[in-house]
Amino acid sequence: MREVAVVGAGMTRFGELWQSSLRDLFVEAALEALTSAGADHVDDIYVGNMSGGQFVGQEHLGPLFADHLGMAGVPVTRVESACASGGVALRAGFMAVASGMSDLVLAAGVEKMTDGADVTNVLATAADQETEAYHGITFPGLYAMIARAYLDTHAATEEDLAWVAVKNHRHGALNPKAQFQREVTLEQVMTSTMVADPLRLLHCSPVSDGAAAVLLCPLDQAKQYTDRPVKILGSGLASAPMALAAREDPAFLDAVAKSADRAYRMAGVKADDIRVAEVHDCFSIAEICCIEAIGVACRGEGAQAARVGLTALGGRIPVNTSGGLKSKGHPVGATGIAQAIEIYEQLRGEAGERQVEGARLGLTQNMGGSGASSVVHIFQGV
Amino acid sequence: MPSPRYWREVPNRYRLEAGRCAACGKVTFPARRVCPECRGTETEPMALSRTAKVVTSTVIRVPPDDFLMEAPYAMAVVETPEGARLMTQVVDCDPEAVLPGMNVALEFRLIRKEGHGGIRCYGHKAVPAG
Amino acid sequence: MAGIVGYGAYIPRNRIKTEDIARQWGKDPKTIEKGLLLKEKSVPGLDEDTITISVAAGRAALDRAGIDPARVGAVYVGSESHPYAVKPSGTIVSEVLGIAPDVHVADFEFACKAGTEAMFVALGLVESGRVEYALAIGADTSQGAPNDALEFSASAGGAAFLFGKDDLLVDVLETYSYTSDTPDFWRREGEFYPRHGGRFTGEPAYFKHVLAASREILRKTGLKASDFRFAVFHMPNGKFPLAAGKELGFTRAQLEVGWVVPTMGNTYSGSSPTGLAAILDVAEPDDLILITSFGSGAGSDSFVLKATELLPNRRDLAPTVHEIMDRPKRYLTYGQYAKYREKIILNT
């Protein structure tokens, strides 16, 4: 297998982007990535998207996007794994380069959520239709059950959940591409409307439009595109039982643990070696469970990490310096790629006010549904 | 809800028909072709008891469209004495009173319907036991 | 010789007080309560309907009978609030109870007497030997129009009776039905609420049929009111059944157990059937029981029943009417009641 580098990146702002259609979003991010690398063509495209069909009635996205990028004819694959679509598209792009199949690959992710579809219903299609959605469950509802199971078994409080949101907003306030560039107080989070007990509005990532794209090529060709490429050291993907009721412990994200394990082994590194990470905080509880599952915090201790500053900028391992899904936004299919872009910028020393000093090893973790899929990538600054 | 998709699920939704793996004894609900525990493909049909215990729960306050009028409602993962787990609404009580450890009974109820003209879809919900 | 081998009832847990409905419409609560002899009524949840009520009552009847459901050869559900205009309630009930597919199913309709109607047919079918067991259910979630007298009484609930030839809990000694065409209460296809003829629903409708049917069955059997331990009549409100009973010579004590309406409301096709279930919950061997239903349109079905030795042994196998009524209840405001009964116009 060849070594693979990230050599270009581009993303739209995340938010309610009324002026941009689904295809507009893709093109904007893709062009920015191509321009950043001085590339005028690609050999292969992988694009992650959860639900073009249900949000805007559009399937067959691959050819549509290649066409609008002015690259009709290029091989293109649409990848879907609910909220992990972007991360899995990144992995597919990585494998295309690593295998020798393609030299310059665009890995992108995009979602258009604000064109009037019933977002609650569409997102619920990532849950088990016949045994969960049938009975009236929602996304927040699933994570709320995970939260309750977690709070019931560990010495953690609802305030611990709130600290995750406070930390991520503090980071997001420094990110010009973030949907919410403002801080929130603990009190604001704790008094926001209850969505599904115990999760409140400000524990939940928002509904967003957005797109993100990165360019990948073999490490030994990276200099054609950039002086500071970032190597992808490892990629790990795992699945878990779809229904929450089918899992041994609702509070433990097995797919996250497995995907991290596989990525660490491939990269030849350990959790302790990671200096900066982007983790899937679709809901505050998710960040807590994910940092435990990837080994950045021990079981039962993830709850305090945000509160004591372990995972804040300036802490031992800053998590979600981009603002996370909570503050940066969560256009579902785009998130996995946006996470990679944050780590790419961190490892190049280009994260501005969000910079983690001297970071050389970074990690992204992107998760689908209530944890039925998870994909982890490990990056190294070159 | 397309009729065939609903009709296929009648045995598990109406009669709580589950499957016990002939090889390892694991009970799955609804029954499956392949045992998630040991990948065995021989299953014995069985029906679940109509009692269970709450494993974890929440209160849905922002519902999907079809459940608008019922919100807020409690939902839970409940476990039957056979060791099968299922997700249900928990009704006929204050939603906030539904917490892990609560004993429930499973009753046949209307789960959803498509507006004024679509089919009515039934199944089981949990109610406080006793 | 056929009779009842199992019985059961179900009443939803929600309630609304008569006084809260009265206040909604600017009426004096005390006057209404006294005039109708009603205190509160049951309200079905948004997830309850004639089918779910029938299943619960049917399960209890099968539990008391202790037979394999696959042996039931007929399932008849009588209601005036079948959930579908076209598609039977009985097929779903048969599937849930494990009775399908070897079964004859039919839905019955005759205003409030659709339950006893199903019972009459189930009895006849078993007597003829055509089926071994037949399940008859009367259940309703009927609507009362807002600000109408019937809104105080229209409630939800039902009872199920399994008929067979062996191991009878209750013998059926005689039946009699009295029917005429009387337009006292009706609902046209597509209309959401029924309409009625006001005071015309009293003497020419309810009393004419209930009294005629009851008198004729007494004459046929040669029995007098004093021979009976219990009597139950259709209960459109608290007053009518007491007046009919008194007219026929029954004492308050004979009427008391079956008179479930003051705290249940009028469960329409479930009305006299749930009253009968409450009676069977306490009847002793050899007790004689009279039940006369009434359905607008109009007609009455009358049965003379006798409890057997087996009844006291089997009744603890399922909840009694009082156990069900005494469960934790949820009292609704008028607004919640209107939401549950889908009386609010939505933007759909």
Side-chain angles (χ1 to χ4, degrees):
Chain A
M1 291 223 303
R2 306 192 288 183
E3 291 186 302
V4 181
V6 183
V7 297
M11 62 186 276
T12 66
R13 217 202 113 150
F14 284 1
E16 289 176 319
L17 309 176
W18 306 111
Q19 306 290 356
S20 303
S21 68
L22 178 64
R23 59 193 77 175
D24 291 338
L25 294 169
F26 171 83
V27 169
E28 187 184 324
L31 276 183
E32 197 179 284
L34 290 167
T35 308
S36 77
D40 61 359
H41 79 285
V42 292
D43 298 328
D44 208 346
I45 303 176
Y46 292 87
V47 58
N49 172 271
M50 173 176 163
S51 228
Q54 293 185 77
F55 281 126
V56 300
Q58 181 69 64
E59 302 285 23
H60 213 190
L61 294 177
L64 177 73
F65 290 157
D67 178 10
H68 279 259
L69 193 53
M71 297 195 186
V74 171
V76 54
T77 307
R78 182 259 191 99
V79 176
E80 187 275 323
S81 191
C83 328
S85 296
V88 180
L90 176 64
R91 177 182 166 86
F94 165 77
M95 294 197 298
V97 175
S99 67
M101 185 87 170
S102 307
D103 278 353
L104 189 60
V105 170
L106 181 75
V110 58
E111 207 77 47
K112 177 74 188 170
M113 299 175 76
T114 62
D115 268 357
D118 181 341
V119 178
T120 305
N121 274 356
V122 176
L123 291 181
T125 61
D128 186 324
Q129 288 312 290
E130 305 303 349
T131 66
E132 297 185 317
Y134 178 77
H135 290 276
I137 199 62
T138 58
F139 245 80
L142 287 169
Y143 277 93
M145 287 191 186
I146 290 174
R148 187 164 272 175
Y150 185 95
L151 294 175
D152 214 47
T153 39
H154 303 296
T157 63
E158 288 182 30
E159 242 190 49
D160 293 329
L161 296 177
W163 277 111
V164 173
V166 171
K167 164 184 76 80
N168 289 346
H169 267 266
R170 198 179 302 133
H171 297 168
L174 307 171
N175 183 352
K177 297 267 174 125
Q179 182 163 355
F180 299 122
Q181 293 171 32
R182 62 175 183 274
E183 299 198 22
V184 296
T185 65
L186 187 75
E187 219 219 317
Q188 281 173 316
V189 180
M190 294 292 287
T191 54
S192 60
T193 332
M194 198 64 99
V195 172
D197 301 25
L199 295 182
R200 296 175 180 273
L201 190 61
L202 292 182
H203 290 131
C204 308
S205 56
V207 170
S208 329
D209 302 326
V214 292
L215 274 170
L216 309 174
C217 75
L219 184 60
D220 60 19
Q221 291 175 28
K223 292 295 177 199
Q224 292 172 42
Y225 305 106
T226 178
D227 286 332
R228 280 184 287 177
V230 168
K231 200 161 105 171
I232 299 182
L233 279 187
S235 171
L237 174 63
S239 58
M242 182 69 156
L244 199 59
R247 300 183 203 161
E248 265 314 310
D249 178 0
F252 180 66
L253 298 175
D254 189 57
V256 178
K258 284 196 168 103
S259 57
D261 240 9
R262 290 171 186 163
Y264 290 140
R265 260 185 286 122
M266 183 173 173
V269 305
K270 298 185 311 296
D272 279 341
D273 301 324
I274 304 298
R275 284 276 73 84
V276 60
E278 287 282 298
V279 139
H280 198 87
D281 63 318
C282 46
F283 300 90
S284 312
I285 182 63
E287 177 167 318
I288 292 172
C289 294
C290 287
I291 60 176
E292 289 185 1
I294 66 176
V296 153
C298 302
R299 281 291 274 279
E301 286 176 7
Q304 317 150 16
R307 178 163 42 89
V308 308
L310 174 77
T311 49
L313 263 172
R316 190 173 67 74
I317 166 155
V319 169
N320 288 334
T321 55
S322 62
L325 279 57
K326 175 66 196 74
S327 163
K328 168 176 43 112
H330 182 36
V332 175
T335 284
I337 304 291
Q339 289 176 326
I341 292 178
E342 180 71 7
I343 298 301
Y344 174 69
E345 289 181 357
Q346 285 285 356
L347 300 183
R348 282 157 59 98
E350 289 176 355
E353 293 179 282
R354 308 186 313 281
Q355 186 64 51
V356 174
E357 289 309 320
R360 273 203 78 228
L361 266 185
L363 174 151
T364 59
Q365 179 266 332
N366 185 211
M367 181 162 67
S370 64
S373 62
S374 172
V375 57
V376 169
H377 288 92
I378 311 230
F379 303 79
Q380 182 182 62
V382 166
Chain B
M1 167 90 35
S3 292
R5 211 182 115 198
Y6 171 71
W7 163 81
R8 231 175 268 132
E9 306 298 319
V10 156
N12 72 72
R13 286 182 182 151
Y14 284 16
R15 295 187 291 275
L16 298 177
E17 283 180 16
R20 175 178 280 122
C21 177
C24 74
K26 173 142 178 91
V27 176
T28 34
F29 176 79
R32 292 193 192 187
R33 184 104 185 263
V34 179
C35 175
E37 193 73 31
C38 74
R39 291 207 196 114
T41 48
E42 302 259 314
T43 10
E44 288 144 10
M46 54 169 281
L48 299 180
S49 311
R50 295 203 308 273
T51 59
K53 219 180 184 87
V54 172
V55 174
T56 182
S57 63
T58 185
V59 179
I60 305 290
R61 296 181 192 271
V62 180
D65 268 356
D66 281 352
F67 296 84
L68 196 58
M69 288 292 114
E70 296 172 60
Y73 51 91
M75 285 201 72
V77 172
V78 304
E79 185 169 316
T80 70
E82 297 84 10
R85 284 188 181 173
L86 51 149
M87 184 167 283
T88 65
Q89 285 188 23
V90 184
V91 293
D92 284 7
C93 63
D94 177 9
E96 292 176 22
V98 178
L99 294 168
M102 182 182 189
N103 287 317
V104 296
L106 298 176
E107 281 191 11
F108 185 73
R109 293 291 175 98
L110 179 72
I111 305 295
R112 62 197 299 155
K113 53 188 201 263
E114 257 95 66
H116 294 293
I119 58 169
R120 295 169 73 88
C121 303
Y122 295 84
H124 280 78
K125 291 190 183 183
V127 300
Chain C
M1 190 65 162
I4 296 170
V5 301
Y7 74 94
Y10 175 81
I11 297 97
R13 292 175 181 83
N14 303 305
R15 297 284 183 279
I16 183 168
K17 294 195 166 120
T18 308
E19 56 178 294
D20 288 325
I21 302 176
R23 269 191 218 105
Q24 167 69 22
W25 303 113
K27 300 203 162 75
D28 174 42
K30 289 281 168 262
T31 311
I32 302 287
E33 282 176 6
K34 270 188 67 184
L36 299 173
L37 290 184
L38 293 175
K39 289 225 279 290
E40 61 190 48
K41 67 173 188 175
S42 63
V43 183
L46 283 169
D47 57 0
E48 299 189 280
D49 60 20
T50 289
I51 290 172
T52 64
I53 292 170
S54 297
V55 164
R59 270 185 173 144
L62 286 169
D63 286 344
R64 284 194 169 107
I67 57 133
D68 176 3
R71 292 166 76 183
V72 176
V75 170
Y76 300 132
V77 179
S79 178
E80 60 174 276
S81 55
H82 288 290
Y84 285 94
V86 176
K87 191 178 175 324
S89 303
T91 53
I92 296 173
V93 173
S94 298
E95 283 272 12
V96 180
L97 296 180
I99 295 174
D102 298 325
V103 62
H104 178 258
V105 169
D107 277 7
F108 283 72
E109 168 270 302
F110 196 136
C112 297
K113 85 164 182 78
T116 55
E117 191 164 273
M119 289 165 70
F120 177 83
V121 173
L123 172 74
L125 212 57
V126 170
E127 277 176 342
S128 75
R130 191 157 282 282
V131 302
E132 198 190 352
Y133 293 100
L135 183 63
I137 306 176
D140 255 304
T141 57
S142 279
Q143 284 286 13
N147 207 4
D148 177 89
L150 296 187
E151 197 185 21
F152 295 103
S153 52
S155 69
F161 298 89
L162 186 68
F163 288 84
K165 272 193 170 151
D166 303 311
D167 299 329
L168 304 185
L169 307 186
V170 185
D171 251 314
V172 178
L173 300 186
E174 187 57 89
T175 68
Y176 175 71
S177 290
Y178 181 87
T179 311
S180 73
D181 183 37
T182 307
D184 60 308
F185 166 104
W186 64 93
R187 185 169 65 81
R188 291 283 295 280
E189 180 78 58
E191 291 290 288
F192 192 64
Y193 298 113
R195 296 183 190 202
H196 57 87
R199 288 192 56 81
F200 180 65
T201 63
E203 209 221 286
Y206 178 89
F207 287 100
K208 174 173 167 189
H209 296 75
V210 167
L211 296 177
S214 304
R215 285 187 177 123
E216 180 57 23
I217 206 173
L218 289 177
R219 194 199 62 75
K220 269 176 90 171
T221 54
L223 293 165
K224 308 181 299 299
S226 54
D227 293 324
F228 290 82
R229 175 100 190 273
F230 301 101
V232 58
F233 303 96
H234 172 55
M235 294 165 273
N237 53 58
K239 277 227 162 118
F240 278 20
L242 295 183
K246 189 163 171 210
E247 180 71 25
L248 293 164
F250 291 97
T251 65
R252 185 63 185 254
Q254 288 170 302
L255 300 169
E256 197 65 49
V257 173
W259 192 61
V260 292
V261 65
T263 51
M264 191 189 289
N266 174 9
T267 54
Y268 283 49
S269 300
S271 180
S272 48
T274 48
L276 175 60
I279 288 169
L280 297 183
D281 288 338
V282 301
E284 320 253 88
D286 292 337
D287 279 349
L288 284 178
I289 303 157
L290 173 73
I291 168 175
T292 302
S293 65
F294 170 71
S296 292
S300 280
D301 299 321
S302 209
F303 298 74
V304 168
L305 309 168
K306 184 158 134 169
T308 72
E309 299 284 325
L310 274 184
L311 179 59
N313 302 349
R314 311 306 295 267
R315 60 170 154 243
D316 292 332
L317 295 172
T320 63
V321 171
H322 275 280
E323 279 164 1
I324 296 170
M325 294 293 283
D326 287 345
R327 280 180 193 156
K329 298 184 267 289
R330 302 171 70 220
Y331 285 92
L332 308 174
T333 62
Y334 188 87
Q336 288 169 322
Y337 162 74
K339 178 177 106 161
Y340 280 22
R341 299 272 51 216
E342 298 182 297
K343 298 187 187 200
I344 302 178
I345 301 174
L346 303 176
N347 195 15
T348 44

